[in-house]
Amino acid sequence: SSGINAEYGDSNHTDAIYHPTLVCVTLLLMMFTVALLFSIMSLASTCDPGQIEDSGFLGIGWFAGCLDCEIGTYQKQDKCVPCPAGSYSGSSRQVDCAKCPKGTYSSTPGASSCIACPVGEHVSVTGSTSCTQCPQGRYSSDQGAVYCTQCPGGTFSSTPGSRKCQECEDGKTSPAGSISRDNCTGTCSAGFVHVLNDAAQEPTCKECPAGTFSEEGALQCSPCLRGHVSVAGSGDCVPCPPGTHTNHSTSCISCLPGSVTSVTGSESCIKCPDNTYSNVNNTQCVQCEEGWYSTEGSDECYSCGVGYYHNASSHQCLSCEHYTALISHSKEENRATVGRRNSNKKRDVEKQIPKVSDQVSIKESDNHNETQNLANQSPNDNATDDANKGILDSDNTTDGREEDIPTNNGTNSTISDDDDDDD
C-alpha cells in the first residue's frame, strides 16, 4: 500500500481538490460575478418617462429592460401605481393622472376614464368621486350636468334628484323655482304676471309694461306685434289706425304730410307719388287737377301760372307758346293738305269742260258762212233774208249774254273762288 501511495501520490490531497462543496462554491462565485456585471450594465441604461426598469431573471438584473406603465396607472418613482379616485389615465406611459372634468366622476382607483353624472344629478367641480342630486325646485334632464336648472314659473319640484318639474293645476301658477304644490296659487288677471316677492318669497302679480300684454294666467309678458300698441297693464295690443304708424309699440304716430297709410297696423308711411297729394287724414293720395302739379311726398298741388299748362303725363309745367307753336304747325299742315286737294279737283273739272275761246271761234265761222249764202240769193228772197237776219241778230244777242258754259251732262257749271273755298 505504501508503494501504491507513493506511485499515485497522497489520496487526501486529491479528495480536497475535487470535493463537491468546493465545486458548488466556485460555481456560485462565478454566477455572482456575472450577475454583478449585468447589474452594472443595466444601471448604466435609462428608461423613458412612464416606464420602469425590469428586475430581470431571479430579480438580480438578468436580462434587465424597461416596462410601460399600463392604462389607469402612472409612474411614481420606480413603480407604476393606480390613479386615485377622481382621476384617470386614458393611455399608457403616463407620469401623472388627470382629474375628472366637471359633470363627471370616478369612484374607484385605477380608472381609465370618468363617468358622466346621471340624470337628476350634477357636479360643478373637477376631480369628483361622486355626483350630487339636484335640490328641490331644480332639475337635470341630461347626463353630465354641471348645474341643475331652475323650475320655470307654473311648475315645481318637491323631491331631490328630479329629472323634470311638475306642472301646477289648470288655472293656477307658481313662481320660478317652486318646491311644493302649495306654491301654486290662483292666476293673475290679464295684463299681469306672477313674480316672486324677494322679501316674503311668495308669488305676487306684476303689471306688464307698455308695449307688452299678457292674457289671464300668463307667466310672462309678450311684446306687441309691429304696428300695434298697448298701455301698461294691457291684456291685448291694438293696431294703429289708418294715417298713423308705429315701430316701438308704445304709441301711434301720425304720418308726415305727403305720406299716407290706408290700412290699420302699419309699420311705416308711404310717400305720395308725383302729381298727387295727401288728404287731410293722411289716409290716401289724391290726383292733382289739370293745370296743377306736385312732386313726390307733397301734401298739396301747385298751379302752373299764367302762360303755362300741365297735364297728367308731365312732371313739370310747359310754356303755352310751345303748345301754340304746335297747334299752328298742325293747322298749316292741314291747310296745305286742303289746298292740294282743291287744286287736284280743279284740274279734273277743266279736263271735262271745253274752253270758251273755242266756242266763240266756232260761232263766228258759222256766221260768216251764212252771210255768203245771203249774198248769193236772188232779190226775191230779200224779204225772207231780212226776216232771217232779224232772227239771226236775235240769236247773236242771246249768245252775247250767255256766260255759263254747258257741261257734258247738260247742266250749267260756273267756276268760282267760293266753290274752291267750300271745297
Side-chain angles (χ1 to χ4, degrees), residues 220-351:
Q220 60 182 0
C221 302
S222 302
C224 293
L225 297 175
R226 289 184 175 273
H228 294 64
V229 295
S230 71
V231 296
S234 297
D236 196 6
C237 299
V238 295
C240 289
T244 63
H245 72 101
T246 183
N247 55 8
H248 46 70
S249 302
T250 56
S251 62
C252 296
I253 305 172
S254 297
C255 293
L256 295 175
S259 58
V260 298
T261 56
S262 58
V263 296
T264 59
S266 297
E267 299 181 36
S268 60
C269 301
I270 302 174
K271 289 184 178 181
C272 289
D274 292 340
N275 299 325
T276 63
Y277 65 97
S278 59
N279 61 356
V280 177
N281 297 325
N282 295 330
T283 57
Q284 62 178 348
C285 298
V286 183
Q287 186 71 37
C288 293
E289 298 180 358
E290 291 290 341
W292 295 71
Y293 77 99
S294 70
T295 57
E296 182 185 28
S298 297
D299 60 339
E300 62 178 336
C301 296
Y302 306 95
S303 174
C304 288
V306 178
Y308 291 86
Y309 74 99
H310 180 270
N311 53 35
S313 62
S314 176
H315 298 284
Q316 60 183 351
C317 293
L318 303 176
S319 173
C320 290
E321 293 180 357
H322 174 70
Y323 178 78
T324 303
L326 292 177
I327 296 300
S328 299
H329 180 70
S330 178
K331 285 185 176 181
E332 289 178 359
E333 288 184 349
N334 292 337
R335 189 177 295 109
T337 301
V338 172
R340 287 193 298 270
R341 185 168 62 251
N342 291 340
S343 176
N344 293 335
K345 289 176 63 178
K346 184 178 293 185
R347 285 197 298 269
D348 293 340
V349 172
E350 289 177 350
K351 290 179 180 180

Side-chain angles (χ1 to χ4, degrees), residues 110-129:
S112 59
S113 62
C114 298
I115 305 172
C117 292
V119 175
E121 297 182 7
H122 78 289
V123 61
S124 57
V125 295
T126 60
S128 295
T129 59

